[in-house]
Amino acid sequence: MVWFKRSQFLILLCLTILVIGSMKLTEFDLSKFRDFQNMGDFLSKWFPMNTESLPFLFQESLLTIAIAFLGSLFGLIIALPLSFMAARNTSKNRFVFSVTRFLLSFLRSVPEFVFGLILLTTLGPGPFPAVIAIIFHNIGVLGKLISELIESADKGPMEAMLAVGAKKWIGNLFAVLPQIWPNVLSQFFYRFEVAIRTSLILGLIGGGGIGQQLFIHFKTFQYQLVSVDVLLIMIMVIMVDYIGSKIREKVI
Amino acid sequence: MIEFKSVSVTYPGAKEPALADVNITFQKGEFVCVLGRSGAGKSTFIRCINGLQPVSEGYVKWEDKTLSEMTHKETLEVRRKTGMIFQHFNLIPRMSVVQNILTGLFGYKKSYENLLGLFKSSDRLQALEAIDQVELTVEPTRRVEKLSGGQKQRVAIARALVQNPKVFLGDEPVASLDPGTADRIFQLLKKTHVKRNLVSIINVHDVILAKKFATRIIALKDGKLVFDGTPEEFDDKVYADIYNHSS
Ligand SMILES: Nc1ncnc2c1ncn2[C@@H]1O[C@H](COP(=O)(O)OP(=O)(O)O)[C@@H](O)[C@H]1O
Ligand SMILES: [Mg+2]
């Protein structure tokens, strides 16, 4: 057992306790899968798919993509300057650094669903509050991730830009952005994919799009439409993932 | 032209100063090599000249102006007329040779011009001339990551040349190059130095290079200036004194 130290056994013990505790809380019990039959019966009701309203559902899917796209792109655009303020090496001073850090972690700590509920009161139901909710949360998430990328960037180019007499913010922008750009794109596409799933949840509170259709179809037992919804969602996620990886390949 | 008066630098949390009571003056036309062991304070010394490193005590003067008393704008003016090259070249990745060289003009341009890349055709011409002067034979549109070490340092020198510098600083500019390339880079530095009548102050590891090219050699040891003289005066005894490990 030369690979292990005594302290690591202690960690293992703690981990075991945590796992057992969590399983109790979540009623985790694989033997419940005995009633597998029920799930089969249920899923069989999904077919054959009802393709009659496919054009409409396709349109709703486009709406979902639009929500997710705006939510992540505007999130990124606002997060970029904030992340420079929230990175130790590029921030103007400690005050700006602390305030932006706090703002970002606040935005991150509020789930989109909660932002959605709050915005509903002023904006009414519809896709617009969903977009804003996703933007808010994404500013928090992307701001943090990008500020960490900035902090780990090579400081050589920054020093070179200072040495040519560039203004600090111009120098930082030019020295850092090219270094972190491929990673920023990766994070953007990942957040885009997440935003598609989030906008489904926001459909529950009237956010529109395919998520809202899924919710309605489920509530009204139209399972042959549910299957179409799910298929469209899967296609969207896979598509965004595919396009994202193609673009990243081009950029690196 | 550049004067150090009782300059000390102590990094936050450090017990010993990285630069201790340095007094020295540099004149136009001098090609100075700075020698010293690793950790002797060479980088700190070089960075004090263009204010990248603020001094803890004493002052650095440019002509008759004290660096630490300058306005922010004046400091930027000092920096833009000071070309600086580095051991790891410090080029901007993902940008081309000519784009990298044009960043040398950042100190002369307005922020929006830099941001949008609004350079005049005369600026571009200047960048292409700089490529000629540093004897680069790669396409100007090539991404800098694709270049060899020697070529990268030539791009960095070209970037410094478009600054139209009066002073040239080097922080071990040949330390990551092979000996042949290092020699050729030094030849280039010396050539531009003479042509433009600069003050050049360059850190080197290699004593042979220093003796071959410098008009004046200075040496640092534990942050103190322990030698200042001609290449001829820098003999084996001085060498042993500076590089011995007993202290
Ligand atoms: N940013 C820094 N913070 C703290 N100590 C530093 C820093 N930079 C350099 N030092 C210390 O100052 C001394 C001089 O360093 P440096 O000027 O880099 O020497 P050289 O370039 O001759 O190797 C060393 O002891 C080094 O560890
Ligand atoms: Mg050094």
Side-chain angles (χ1 to χ4, degrees):
Chain A
M1 306 271 267
V2 291
W3 309 131
F4 305 105
K5 288 190 241 142
R6 191 170 304 160
S7 64
Q8 287 171 324
F9 284 104
L10 208 67
I11 293 171
L12 196 64
L13 185 69
C14 290
L15 211 58
T16 312
I17 293 172
L18 281 176
V19 167
I20 292 174
S22 306
M23 285 171 83
K24 276 246 154 6
L25 281 174
T26 56
E27 300 165 23
F28 192 96
D29 180 3
L30 288 177
S31 66
K32 285 179 181 164
F33 274 105
R34 270 184 320 233
D35 305 328
F36 196 66
Q37 187 70 46
N38 290 349
M39 193 156 81
D41 288 348
F42 173 60
L43 284 179
S44 71
K45 287 189 207 153
W46 287 27
F47 298 97
M49 290 184 181
N50 178 353
T51 51
E52 254 165 53
S53 35
L54 196 58
F56 170 68
L57 292 179
F58 184 72
Q59 210 177 322
E60 290 297 294
S61 304
L62 282 185
L63 175 57
T64 295
I65 292 188
I67 294 171
F69 176 65
L70 286 186
S72 23
L73 185 67
F74 286 173
L76 175 68
I77 290 170
I78 301 169
L80 264 177
L82 288 176
S83 50
F84 276 87
M85 295 193 245
R88 231 172 285 273
N89 51 344
T90 54
S91 194
K92 209 174 178 66
N93 54 47
R94 271 216 71 85
F95 177 74
V96 172
F97 169 78
S98 310
V99 169
T100 13
R101 276 270 155 135
F102 177 79
L103 176 76
L104 292 179
S105 55
F106 170 76
L107 287 173
R108 216 164 41 240
S109 67
V110 182
E112 293 96 333
F113 192 73
V114 176
F115 275 133
L117 284 175
I118 296 169
L119 289 166
L120 219 53
T121 56
T122 51
L123 300 177
F128 184 51
V131 172
I132 302 288
I134 294 176
I135 290 176
F136 278 170
H137 191 74
N138 266 338
I139 293 172
V141 175
L142 288 171
K144 180 196 160 76
L145 289 171
I146 296 171
S147 68
E148 279 168 4
L149 291 175
I150 294 172
E151 284 180 352
S152 61
D154 175 14
K155 65 178 178 6
M158 283 189 248
E159 184 147 281
M161 288 297 97
L162 282 184
V164 299
K167 291 212 181 65
K168 194 168 172 228
W169 73 273
I170 292 272
N172 284 340
L173 195 65
F174 274 81
V176 173
L177 211 50
Q179 292 189 53
I180 64 173
W181 191 240
N183 280 324
V184 169
L185 275 186
S186 281
Q187 299 296 353
F188 169 75
F189 278 105
Y190 179 63
R191 292 310 301 175
F192 189 3
E193 199 188 305
V194 171
I196 288 180
R197 273 170 270 156
T198 309
S199 71
L200 301 179
I201 306 289
L202 292 172
L204 283 181
I205 53 170
I210 194 82
Q212 187 162 348
Q213 296 305 317
L214 176 65
F215 183 60
I216 293 168
H217 295 152
F218 202 82
K219 279 281 169 196
T220 53
F221 311 107
Q222 303 187 65
Y223 296 123
Q224 290 167 346
L225 285 174
V226 166
S227 55
V228 179
D229 300 334
V230 171
L231 185 68
L232 285 170
I233 290 166
M234 287 167 67
I235 291 173
M236 276 190 296
V237 171
I238 291 171
M239 236 172 54
V240 169
D241 188 53
Y242 178 78
I243 294 171
S245 67
K246 279 288 153 209
I247 291 181
R248 271 182 317 235
E249 262 171 45
K250 270 249 179 316
V251 163
I252 284 167
Chain B
M1 167 155 190
I2 295 167
E3 182 193 1
F4 275 61
K5 181 82 189 161
S6 309
V7 170
S8 296
V9 172
T10 309
Y11 286 107
K15 274 203 275 333
E16 300 291 322
L19 215 55
D21 193 29
V22 171
N23 290 286
I24 194 165
T25 309
F26 299 111
Q27 300 301 341
K28 215 179 190 115
E30 286 184 321
F31 193 94
V32 186
C33 284
V34 186
L35 293 170
R37 268 160 47 193
S38 174
K42 301 184 297 296
S43 299
T44 308
F45 176 72
I46 286 287
R47 292 158 47 84
C48 284
I49 298 172
N50 59 354
L52 288 183
Q53 174 63 52
V55 302
S56 314
E57 279 165 61
Y59 60 79
V60 177
K61 258 189 173 174
W62 275 70
E63 258 115 39
D64 47 5
K65 281 208 151 157
T66 302
L67 206 50
S68 57
E69 288 165 5
M70 287 183 188
T71 62
H72 183 59
K73 196 158 167 271
E74 287 172 321
T75 313
L76 294 188
E77 275 163 22
V78 161
R79 286 189 188 153
R80 79 179 183 195
K81 62 181 182 188
T82 308
M84 188 169 187
I85 53 174
F86 306 85
Q87 177 177 356
H88 299 294
F89 324 120
N90 295 355
L91 298 177
I92 297 180
R94 312 178 59 76
M95 300 222 307
S96 70
V97 168
V98 71
Q99 284 173 330
N100 259 283
I101 295 172
L102 284 170
T103 63
L105 292 170
F106 274 7
Y108 290 95
K109 301 264 167 191
K110 300 205 176 63
S111 293
Y112 77 91
E113 292 173 320
N114 290 336
L115 211 55
L116 302 174
L118 302 178
F119 290 99
K120 294 203 234 21
S121 53
S122 60
D123 298 331
R124 257 174 258 255
L125 204 64
Q126 208 188 335
L128 294 178
E129 276 167 15
I131 292 180
D132 262 356
Q133 283 176 45
V134 298
E135 293 147 27
L136 251 182
T137 50
V138 297
E139 310 95 273
T141 51
R142 191 111 185 244
R143 282 249 293 257
V144 289
E145 299 96 293
K146 303 232 168 79
L147 306 182
S148 70
Q151 290 171 327
K152 282 181 184 167
Q153 197 59 292
R154 285 174 196 271
V155 175
I157 295 170
R159 172 173 69 187
L161 287 183
V162 297
Q163 289 176 244
N164 195 14
K166 302 276 173 288
V167 176
F168 223 97
L169 304 177
D171 193 359
E172 311 223 18
V174 298
S176 24
L177 303 176
D178 64 81
T181 309
D183 196 86
R184 282 190 291 277
I185 290 290
F186 254 89
Q187 281 172 27
L188 173 64
L189 288 174
K190 189 67 184 275
K191 200 168 110 188
T192 34
H193 168 88
V194 172
K195 195 162 144 202
R196 298 191 180 217
N197 193 23
L198 306 171
V199 186
S200 296
I201 306 164
I202 295 165
N203 292 343
V204 257
H205 241 61
D206 187 340
V207 180
I208 298 171
L209 275 181
K211 292 190 73 153
K212 181 170 170 192
F213 289 99
T215 61
R216 179 182 180 186
I217 291 179
I218 65 174
L220 291 168
K221 187 179 180 184
D222 301 326
K224 289 190 264 299
L225 189 64
V226 291
F227 177 82
D228 181 0
T230 62
E232 293 74 39
E233 287 164 345
F234 192 92
D235 55 23
D236 289 351
K237 193 183 156 302
V238 183
Y239 176 88
D241 198 34
I242 288 159
Y243 286 94
N244 80 31
H245 285 249
S246 61
S247 62

